[in-house]
């Protein structure tokens, strides 16, 4: 038992420093995307409307009240996580230990959607990337696939409000558990879109560590 636990911890730690898509290079003048962390959780932030690909996230979300409120905003962030953890952390409260422990077992998930008036400012917890049109299209497909739609194919708004007046929760696909965390979702989404990511990223720092090492094409240096 102890040996298995030790192996698991070593795998998680090693996964942080092992890059996937190590040859990924940013595209000068490409589509801007951001990986944003609050120190515990990570989101992927993208343009609310992206003209090269014709992507309009307000159309994708199909929520007239959100379109009316956020039509003038510039960016939107997406995260994935445990429903019970998210809903227990309203009002700035950290969930009780029992809630945290129960979240380690497979449970339902939500998509966290956060609207930004302007692009996040790069810093300690914000990494800016520029990616190609093809990579962005793949990224948006992966994000869309993480929403659990209703029988008509429409997204399902779980709560009329989130932590602030600018963020909301939608029903998500998949099950959250100890080996499939919110940061694993961000990391896997970046990896599957062809961007630099970690082999395994259970922590926010694991995600930021690899995306921060992304470089531009040699021609731009």
């Amino acid at each position: 038992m102890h040996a298995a636990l030790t192996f698991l911890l070593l795998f998680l730690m090693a996964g942080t420093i092992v890059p996937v898509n190590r040859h990924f290079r940013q595209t000068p003048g490409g589509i801007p995307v951001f990986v944003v962390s609050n120190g515990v959780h990570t989101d992927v932030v993208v343009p609310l409307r992206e003209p090269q690909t014709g992507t309009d996230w307000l159309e994708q979300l199909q929520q007239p009240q959100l379109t009316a409120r956020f039509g003038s905003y510039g960016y939107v962030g997406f995260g994935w996580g445990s429903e019970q953890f998210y809903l227990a952390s309203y009002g700035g409260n950290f969930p009780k230990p029992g809630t945290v422990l129960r979240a380690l077992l497979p449970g339902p998930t939500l998509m966290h959607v956060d609207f930004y008036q302007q692009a996040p400012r790069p810093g300690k917890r914000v990494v800016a990337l520029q990616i190609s049109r093809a990579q962005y299209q793949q990224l948006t497909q992966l994000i869309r696939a993480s929403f659990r739609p209703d029988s008509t194919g429409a997204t399902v708004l779980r709560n009329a409000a989130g932590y602030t007046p600018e963020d909301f929760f939608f029903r998500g696909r998949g099950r959250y558990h100890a080996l499939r965390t919110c940061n694993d979702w961000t990391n896997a989404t970046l990896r599957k879109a062809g961007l630099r990511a970690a082999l395994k990223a259970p922590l926010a720092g694991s995600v930021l560590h690899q995306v921060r090492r992304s470089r531009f094409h040699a021609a731009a240096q």
Side-chain angles (χ1 to χ4, degrees):
M1 180 65 178
H2 290 297
L5 181 58
T6 300
F7 175 81
L8 176 60
L9 292 175
L10 288 174
F11 172 73
L12 294 176
M13 293 173 62
T16 297
I17 62 175
V18 176
V20 179
N21 301 327
R22 67 174 66 223
H23 298 300
F24 162 74
R25 294 293 181 270
Q26 296 191 57
T27 301
I31 298 171
V33 300
F34 303 84
V35 181
V36 177
S37 170
N38 64 3
V40 177
H41 173 83
T42 49
D43 287 341
V44 178
V45 178
V46 299
L48 186 61
R49 296 182 179 87
E50 202 298 296
Q52 293 187 45
T53 59
T55 304
D56 185 330
W57 281 106
L58 289 172
E59 288 185 358
Q60 299 289 333
L61 294 173
Q62 302 174 357
Q63 300 292 327
Q65 72 276 29
L66 300 187
T67 300
R69 289 178 59 184
F70 301 107
S72 65
Y73 279 49
Y75 290 82
V76 60
F78 298 97
W80 176 96
S82 164
E83 179 178 53
Q84 60 181 331
F85 189 94
Y86 272 141
L87 299 184
S89 55
Y90 267 58
N93 298 317
F94 192 83
K96 295 179 180 179
T99 301
V100 175
L101 291 175
R102 285 192 297 274
L104 299 178
L105 301 174
T109 59
L110 297 175
M111 286 294 290
H112 183 225
V113 179
D114 198 354
F115 292 93
Y116 292 71
Q117 289 185 318
Q118 300 176 337
R121 181 176 298 179
K124 182 179 180 181
R125 293 180 176 176
V126 177
V127 180
L129 300 171
Q130 294 180 31
I131 66 177
S132 71
R133 176 174 176 169
Q135 289 163 342
Y136 185 77
Q137 288 175 318
Q138 181 64 20
L139 183 68
T140 57
Q141 289 177 9
L142 292 163
I143 294 172
R144 282 196 295 265
S146 296
F147 286 84
R148 179 159 59 89
D150 63 18
S151 59
T152 69
T155 59
V156 181
L157 187 62
R158 171 62 173 79
N159 281 40
Y163 302 129
T164 74
E166 298 176 319
D167 70 294
F168 304 85
F169 291 107
F170 288 75
R171 295 291 186 187
R173 289 187 189 270
R175 307 287 283 179
Y176 183 101
H177 52 78
L179 297 180
R180 174 64 169 159
T181 68
C182 54
N183 297 307
D184 280 317
W185 176 87
T186 302
N187 187 70
T189 300
L190 298 172
R191 184 184 72 242
K192 292 174 183 178
L195 313 186
R196 182 172 178 128
L199 177 64
K200 187 67 176 173
L203 304 176
S206 309
V207 181
L208 296 179
H209 173 74
Q210 290 300 339
V211 295
R212 202 178 293 280
R213 293 171 63 87
S214 299
R215 297 290 184 262
F216 279 97
H217 287 295
Q221 296 178 345

